[in-house]
Amino acid sequence: MKRRLFLGKTLAGSVAALLIPKAISAQDTSFSNKNIKTAKGPVSICTWQFIKANAAAAAALESGSDALSAAIKAAEVEELNEKNTTVGYGGSPDREGNVTLDASVMDHLGNCGSVVAVENIVHVAALARDVMEKTPHVMLAGEGAELFAKSLGYKHTELLTEESKESWEEWTKNSKYKPIINIENHDTIGILCLDKEENIGGACSTSGLGYKMKGRVGDSPIIGSGLFIDNTIGGAVATGMGEEVVKTVGSFLIVELMRQGRSPQEACDEAINRITEKQGVDVDFQVAYIAIDKQGNVGSSCIHKGFTYMHYQNGINQNFEVNKYINS
Ligand code: ASP
């Protein structure tokens, strides 16, 4: 039977990192994100358990950085993390063995930039910002994006590590492409920051689906799908099966629902519903969203249990299990 109601999941997940010890102890597992009070001061949220990435954004925000710069700082941490096989250096390659990266950024003025299918450049979120700020365009693809990066002094980096090469070589023995994204193998970083000026900026960075077809582009660099921000309302980012996010223009949908009065949580739930209403709830792929509104309230929703996100506010950098999911 089709389950339309989400299962609630309100308790905080593991406590991740404490930046500035304050009233709430790092061991206080009863601290639920439902209890986070709207407070003055910056907020940073990002997909998955990227403790260091969110801490980097938080530190930048606390020292007065604008929201977009802070979000890019977080993306850079994962772009350099070779253990993360879905972002930057060490990302899984496509079927032919090429690592191709996608990224997008958006600022509080509604400006945006993105790059798709970029090879040999690690910091693609920063590159997306350069597209936004230094070209008359919004999106650059493939070789053009790489040439643009080189013209700005980005260094050439071989993104395929020994480890990801070995995994890919193992995969080529059968070359079975089954685009199942389970909760273990997608770790795109999507980050949303609310800075001291109360402006929202965000970024998204990924190597996309492992062993994807050459030329495949997912949701992450598509403005409105993987990332969308309207500074008067809020922002949203996605991770998971990009094709499903693109079909429902998920992040834009969430921001528009918030504009109509839904909370970030209600808006994320509805965006997940849009997918499961068409595809059913027993799908073998994951999609997850996180969202923030102008007041710093956050929401998160996903199809399958297992998604977590980071939340920083008032000196506490914490990992939460998603608020709601459909399948356990
Ligand atoms: N959303 C990404 C994509 O489809 C995958 C991910 O989140 O890992 O490219």
Side-chain angles (χ1 to χ4, degrees), residues 135-178:
T135 80
H137 308 304
V138 163
M139 183 183 281
L140 285 183
E143 204 189 332
E146 199 178 324
L147 284 173
F148 175 61
K150 301 265 167 73
S151 77
L152 296 176
Y154 283 75
K155 74 170 199 274
H156 180 107
T157 306
E158 176 49 68
L159 300 172
L160 190 67
T161 57
E162 269 315 304
E163 223 175 328
S164 46
K165 191 173 171 204
E166 272 169 30
S167 307
W168 169 68
E169 280 167 352
E170 193 53 39
W171 175 82
T172 56
K173 288 181 185 159
N174 292 314
S175 292
K176 280 213 179 99
Y177 184 70
K178 211 167 170 230

Side-chain angles (χ1 to χ4, degrees), residues 13 23 38 54 96 135 201 209 242 244 254 258 267 272 292 310:
T38 300
N54 210 47
E96 276 76 37
T135 80
L209 302 185
E244 299 304 321
I254 289 168
M258 290 196 286
I272 291 293
I292 189 166
M310 295 299 304

Side-chain angles (χ1 to χ4, degrees), residues 47-48 86-87 102 181 185-189 204-210 212 216-221 226 238-246 286 288:
T47 53
W48 305 106
T86 315
V87 183
D102 300 331
I181 305 189
N185 70 359
H186 55 90
D187 295 317
T188 292
I189 182 159
C204 201
S205 185
T206 190
S207 53
L209 302 185
K212 61 193 175 186
R216 182 265 184 190
V217 171
D219 60 309
S220 306
T239 182
M241 180 62 90
E243 281 73 3
E244 299 304 321
V245 176
V246 170
Q286 171 74 300

Side-chain angles (χ1 to χ4, degrees), residues 32 106 109 120 153 156 182 280:
S32 155
M106 197 153 183
L109 299 171
N120 305 311
H156 180 107
N182 61 40

Side-chain angles (χ1 to χ4, degrees), residues 28-45:
D28 185 356
T29 50
S30 66
F31 181 60
S32 155
N33 63 351
K34 289 256 158 87
N35 299 329
I36 293 169
K37 296 243 165 32
T38 300
K40 287 276 172 214
V43 181
S44 170
I45 57 173

